[in-house]
Amino acid sequence: MDTKWKSYSHSILTKIIVFIIAILCVTGMVQAFVEVEIVNDGNFGSVTEDHYFESEAYVQESQYLISDLTRLLGKYKSEEHILDGKSISEDEWEEVENNLFYSEFQHSESYQHELSEKKNFEIFKEEYKNELTQAKEQRIKEDLKEFHVLVQNLEKYEPLFYASDGTHEFANSTKTKKEQFETSPAYLIFEEYKREFYPKETEENEHLHWITEQMDGLDLENTVIFVAFPEVFLNQKMEEWQAGKAIATTNLYQILRYFAGFILSFIYLVIVVGRKSFHDQELHFRPVEKLYNDINLALCMLLFPLWIVLIDDVFEGMTAIILAFTLLFATLELTLILILVKHIKNRTLIKHTLIFTLIYKFVKFIGEVYKSGNVAVKTVLIVIGYPVLIALTFFMFPITVGIAAWFAFKKVKAFQNIQEGIEIIKEGNLHHRIEVGGNGEFAKLSANVNSITDGLKKAVDSELKSERLKTELITNVSHDIRNPLTSIITYVDLLKNEKDQTKTGEYIEVLDQKAQRLKLLTDDLFEASKASSGNIPVSLEKIAIVSLITQGLGELNDKIEANGLEIRLNHPQEKVYVTADGKLLWRSIENLLSNIFKYALKRSRVYIDIEDVGNEVRISFKNISAYELNISADELMERFKRGDESRNSQGSGLGISIAKNLIEIQKGQFNIHVDGDLFKAIIHLPKHINSNLKN
């Protein structure tokens, strides 16, 4: 017990340590990101950049400057240009007019519906002249404000620049010639349609299009923009870029190491989660882990954006607080994820959701009411339930209607199948089956109709068989009785005219044989009728079946030897008792043995096996027939049936039928099997139990 407890404690401690390692790895990755964000604006791209002039940082130094210069040259130009309304483009003014026209004029009384929109627009311009003037003045004020903001921004830029469209100029130095800018260690020259960058590494910069795309929006005729980076400024920026690259590289490797540690820790936790040890195959759930999976998933999806908002907006720049919140959120997030993993392994990810539970309980409740109710209750449920279902699933209305249409079509088709099947059966085809799938009312109805059809078919087959048996009975009885009776009549006539006493004795002997034969047939027929009707007193008692058969075989030893048969009796070592009527049981066995004596192949073996099979005792008789058994086992058990269809043997054909009926009235079972020339009779009798005895 102590060893198991120590092993369990060690496993728990290991999982806690690995969990803490995973959390620390996540926190380490966040710390590395935060450091790069603070020092290098979150730019990890510098890790793969070979030179400052190929970096994103270099393009950003002039990107916003050129953006402001292109806006000034392209749109605003000067105060006079703006005050003249020339900074307002046709598209912008059209937007102002359309806003006033559609939002105000079109809903006013001045709008004339009988006129075309073009005519109404002319009326609008006339009536809204003051409003349009005010809107234009407002737009000019906004452009003037934006113009002064852009001009003030130019004063903040450290790179030297000069921009001109031939009329308007913007500069932060006295340099206005291209040659003056080309003396700098790095520069950007845009002269009408020509572009020149120095040093040449700048042209390999993948971010350069951020600048060139801004120039594409200008009318480049007579337009020049020169930007130069002084050596002091450039050296400072290059040093900052080198430092940022070093920090980004170091932290990137740290992130990769932390990420690898987290992945390994997470894989281990996924494998052992829910198990007491690494080799434990059983999943264990704690009460706190009973949280529904959909609620769990919703919390996981909410925690991450909440964490992003907190560290990016609320606690921006507060590294210690960011790391503390990261520890908390990572712990909660990983715990919730591992609970989901545990349910995935347990195959209860969907089943253990609040939505599934509610739907399942609702459907189960409706199903129980539906199954326990009659057709009226089910109809009411469908009438009430379908509108409720439509209301609950309005967002997927076409799918709900489609399912309802499919369900209705399926039921109508099932009803049509039943109708068509009943028509076929009504016309006399009792072999037709009505096939309706499912467990609904129509399936039950079709099953009931099929049961009625089966009953009718059995009744018809039974009646036909009964008629056939009656015909065969009359034929066989007539044939078997007529032969000895004809012989008796013939020999009586001969006896009347015979004077020779010697022949008279022979005739009397023949008459005695035929009379005995006739008596035997009459007795067997009488006994078969009594056995078939069950009109025989039965006294059930404890019978030692092995002793009964052994004693009987001894009494029949002469017949056995006369037929050259070898009896092989197999039975358990311990005594076996059955509940039966001793006289009737022996009569049945004697009939079977008599049948064997008459029809078994001479000088062959006869096997009698006695087996204890639980609550029953099985007695089987096996022999090889002297005649070809070209009839079925069922036919052999019919009255007056013989193994030789030519009826040359001395049997009555009632022995097996009598044996079968006598066994059945003793609560046993009797069966025969035919396999080629092998004849096998099997008797099943209840094993002796004191409570089964009846007198």
Side-chain angles (χ1 to χ4, degrees):
M1 186 69 182
D2 292 339
T3 304
K4 289 184 178 180
W5 172 251
K6 289 180 180 178
S7 176
Y8 175 68
S9 301
H10 178 72
S11 175
I12 293 295
L13 181 61
T14 302
K15 285 192 281 187
I16 293 174
I17 292 173
V18 174
F19 185 88
I20 293 173
I21 290 173
I23 298 301
L24 291 177
C25 287
V26 172
T27 307
M29 285 190 287
V30 172
Q31 184 178 10
F33 271 112
V34 170
E35 186 174 351
V36 175
E37 179 70 28
I38 293 173
V39 178
N40 207 31
D41 293 330
N43 181 18
F44 282 93
S46 59
V47 175
T48 59
E49 294 170 350
D50 297 329
H51 197 278
Y52 174 66
F53 296 110
E54 298 177 4
S55 69
E56 178 182 342
Y58 175 66
V59 171
Q60 287 178 340
E61 293 300 335
S62 55
Q63 176 187 0
Y64 299 111
L65 169 60
I66 292 180
S67 173
D68 291 345
L69 290 174
T70 54
R71 292 176 66 192
L72 287 170
L73 291 177
K75 181 177 180 179
Y76 300 113
K77 299 184 184 299
S78 64
E79 288 188 4
E80 293 78 9
H81 183 79
I82 296 172
L83 291 173
D84 290 340
K86 294 179 181 180
S87 63
I88 303 174
S89 65
E90 293 182 1
D91 293 337
E92 290 177 332
W93 185 244
E94 184 179 354
E95 182 181 356
V96 171
E97 290 180 331
N98 287 337
N99 286 337
L100 282 173
F101 178 78
Y102 290 111
S103 63
E104 296 185 17
F105 178 76
Q106 198 174 49
H107 302 288
S108 67
E109 296 179 355
S110 301
Y111 188 83
Q112 300 181 30
H113 295 278
E114 65 276 5
L115 297 178
S116 64
E117 187 169 302
K118 185 177 180 180
K119 292 289 185 182
N120 276 300
F121 204 82
E122 293 175 357
I123 297 172
F124 157 74
K125 286 184 176 180
E126 185 65 31
E127 291 192 5
Y128 275 71
K129 186 183 298 183
N130 294 332
E131 287 82 353
L132 290 172
T133 301
Q134 292 175 0
K136 187 174 183 179
E137 291 176 353
Q138 180 63 32
R139 182 58 63 91
I140 289 173
K141 288 180 180 178
E142 293 174 359
D143 286 351
L144 275 174
K145 181 179 179 182
E146 182 67 18
F147 172 77
H148 288 294
V149 168
L150 291 174
V151 171
Q152 289 177 358
N153 286 342
L154 294 179
E155 298 175 0
K156 301 177 182 178
Y157 293 114
E158 295 184 55
L160 303 178
F161 64 85
Y162 171 77
S164 173
D165 60 359
T167 304
H168 308 94
E169 294 182 351
F170 301 94
N172 64 348
S173 70
T174 57
K175 295 181 179 182
T176 60
K177 302 296 181 180
K178 181 175 74 171
E179 292 77 9
Q180 294 174 315
F181 283 86
E182 289 177 340
T183 59
S184 301
Y187 57 82
L188 306 173
I189 302 294
F190 298 92
E191 186 176 18
E192 294 186 347
Y193 299 99
K194 297 178 182 180
R195 298 175 181 181
E196 183 180 348
F197 308 111
Y198 186 82
K200 294 300 181 181
E201 290 87 351
T202 307
E203 296 179 356
E204 303 298 326
N205 195 313
E206 61 180 8
H207 306 290
L208 189 61
H209 65 91
W210 294 351
I211 297 174
T212 57
E213 286 175 356
Q214 296 179 41
M215 296 296 299
D216 294 337
L218 286 178
D219 181 9
L220 298 179
E221 188 75 27
N222 298 322
T223 299
V224 296
I225 296 180
F226 305 144
V227 178
F229 299 92
E231 185 174 357
V232 175
F233 171 81
L234 195 60
N235 290 336
Q236 177 187 350
K237 293 300 178 181
M238 290 180 69
E239 290 176 2
E240 292 176 358
W241 175 80
Q242 289 286 358
K245 178 178 180 178
I247 292 173
T249 303
T250 301
N251 283 281
L252 178 62
Y253 287 132
Q254 286 185 355
I255 289 171
L256 292 176
R257 286 193 290 268
Y258 284 131
F259 182 73
F262 172 77
I263 291 298
L264 293 175
S265 303
F266 183 74
I267 291 173
Y268 175 83
L269 292 172
V270 166
I271 294 173
V272 302
V273 67
R275 295 186 169 93
K276 293 182 179 179
S277 66
F278 192 81
H279 301 288
D280 186 12
Q281 297 299 316
E282 183 181 356
L283 288 171
H284 306 276
F285 285 87
R286 293 185 291 271
V288 71
E289 295 173 339
K290 297 293 180 67
L291 180 68
Y292 286 113
N293 291 334
D294 44 359
I295 297 177
N296 186 337
L297 188 61
L299 289 174
C300 288
M301 296 174 66
L302 287 173
L303 282 174
F304 185 72
L306 178 61
W307 173 75
I308 292 294
V309 170
L310 288 176
I311 67 171
D312 198 37
D313 296 334
V314 179
F315 302 118
E316 184 178 4
M318 304 178 185
T319 305
I321 297 178
I322 289 175
L323 295 179
F325 268 92
T326 299
L327 277 171
L328 175 62
F329 277 79
T331 303
L332 291 174
E333 190 84 16
L334 185 57
T335 301
L336 294 174
I337 290 173
L338 290 176
I339 293 174
L340 289 175
V341 169
K342 188 184 294 187
H343 281 286
I344 292 174
K345 294 167 68 174
N346 197 43
R347 298 181 180 178
T348 54
L349 182 65
I350 302 299
K351 291 183 179 179
H352 191 67
T353 59
L354 180 61
I355 295 174
F356 180 87
T357 302
L358 293 176
I359 293 175
Y360 175 78
K361 289 183 178 180
F362 177 74
V363 171
K364 184 179 179 181
F365 171 75
I366 296 298
E368 289 175 352
V369 175
Y370 186 84
K371 290 179 181 178
S372 61
N374 53 28
V375 177
V377 172
K378 295 176 181 179
T379 304
V380 171
L381 281 176
I382 292 174
V383 171
I384 296 175
Y386 183 67
V388 173
L389 181 64
I390 290 293
L392 293 175
T393 59
F394 66 92
F395 55 89
M396 48 183 291
F397 177 74
I399 297 176
T400 308
V401 172
I403 293 173
W406 171 80
F407 179 78
F409 173 76
K410 186 178 178 183
K411 293 300 179 182
V412 170
K413 188 176 180 181
F415 181 70
Q416 289 176 342
N417 287 342
I418 294 174
Q419 278 187 317
E420 293 171 0
I422 292 175
E423 288 294 328
I424 294 172
I425 294 170
K426 186 179 73 174
E427 292 173 359
N429 185 0
L430 298 181
H431 296 280
H432 181 73
R433 307 285 297 176
I434 301 174
E435 301 294 340
V436 175
N439 299 313
E441 294 294 330
F442 288 148
K444 293 178 182 177
L445 178 60
S446 66
N448 291 337
V449 174
N450 289 335
S451 298
I452 294 171
T453 305
D454 293 340
L456 288 173
K457 185 176 178 296
K458 288 179 181 178
V460 171
D461 292 343
S462 178
E463 184 64 25
L464 292 174
K465 183 178 180 181
S466 178
E467 290 296 326
R468 180 173 59 82
L469 289 176
K470 287 178 182 179
T471 303
E472 290 183 359
L473 177 62
I474 294 171
T475 303
N476 293 336
V477 169
S478 300
H479 182 275
D480 287 353
I481 293 178
R482 184 180 62 184
N483 287 342
L485 188 59
T486 301
S487 297
I488 290 172
I489 294 171
T490 301
Y491 279 96
V492 167
D493 289 341
L494 291 173
L495 192 60
K496 288 178 182 180
N497 300 320
E498 185 59 55
K499 302 300 183 179
D500 188 348
Q501 292 298 321
T502 303
K503 290 186 177 181
T504 300
E506 293 177 358
Y507 293 161
I508 291 173
E509 185 179 349
V510 172
L511 284 171
D512 182 61
Q513 291 177 358
K514 299 302 180 183
Q516 290 299 325
R517 171 66 178 162
L518 188 59
K519 181 179 181 299
L520 176 63
L521 289 171
T522 306
D523 290 344
D524 282 352
L525 182 60
F526 180 68
E527 186 176 5
S529 299
K530 288 175 63 179
S532 178
S533 65
N535 191 21
I536 297 178
V538 179
S539 178
L540 299 178
E541 56 186 344
K542 179 181 179 181
I543 303 294
I545 187 63
V546 177
S547 300
L548 177 67
I549 294 177
T550 303
Q551 182 180 349
L553 290 174
E555 295 175 358
L556 298 172
N557 188 57
D558 293 341
K559 291 185 178 181
I560 294 172
E561 291 180 352
N563 288 280
L565 299 175
E566 182 183 346
I567 304 295
R568 294 290 181 89
L569 178 62
N570 301 311
H571 58 83
Q573 293 298 322
E574 64 276 4
K575 288 189 175 183
V576 181
Y577 297 96
V578 298
T579 301
D581 186 307
K583 293 180 180 180
L584 298 180
L585 178 57
W586 173 246
R587 179 74 175 103
S588 304
I589 295 173
E590 187 180 26
N591 279 5
L592 284 174
L593 292 172
S594 177
N595 186 73
I596 290 171
F597 298 154
K598 292 173 184 176
Y599 300 110
L601 183 66
K602 302 300 181 182
R603 291 178 295 279
S604 63
R605 294 185 184 89
V606 177
Y607 294 89
I608 304 175
D609 298 323
I610 302 172
E611 300 174 89
D612 186 344
V613 288
N615 294 327
E616 292 182 336
V617 174
R618 181 167 61 202
I619 311 162
S620 60
F621 299 81
K622 291 179 284 186
N623 68 276
I624 301 298
S625 174
Y627 303 95
E628 184 180 355
L629 297 175
N630 54 4
I631 56 178
S632 66
D634 291 337
E635 289 181 300
L636 278 175
M637 283 196 292
E638 295 174 4
R639 299 176 190 175
F640 290 98
K641 277 288 181 181
R642 302 185 194 174
D644 62 324
E645 289 294 314
S646 61
R647 311 189 68 81
N648 293 324
S649 62
Q650 294 298 313
S652 64
L654 293 170
I656 294 179
S657 177
I658 292 171
K660 178 179 183 296
N661 290 325
L662 290 178
I663 292 298
E664 288 178 348
I665 64 175
Q666 296 176 80
K667 299 182 180 178
Q669 295 179 357
F670 182 92
N671 296 290
I672 63 174
H673 300 281
V674 176
D675 186 3
D677 291 338
L678 175 64
F679 176 85
K680 184 177 182 181
I682 302 174
I683 297 173
H684 291 267
L685 289 170
K687 188 189 291 186
H688 172 71
I689 301 175
N690 291 331
S691 60
N692 283 348
L693 293 182
K694 293 183 181 179
N695 296 320

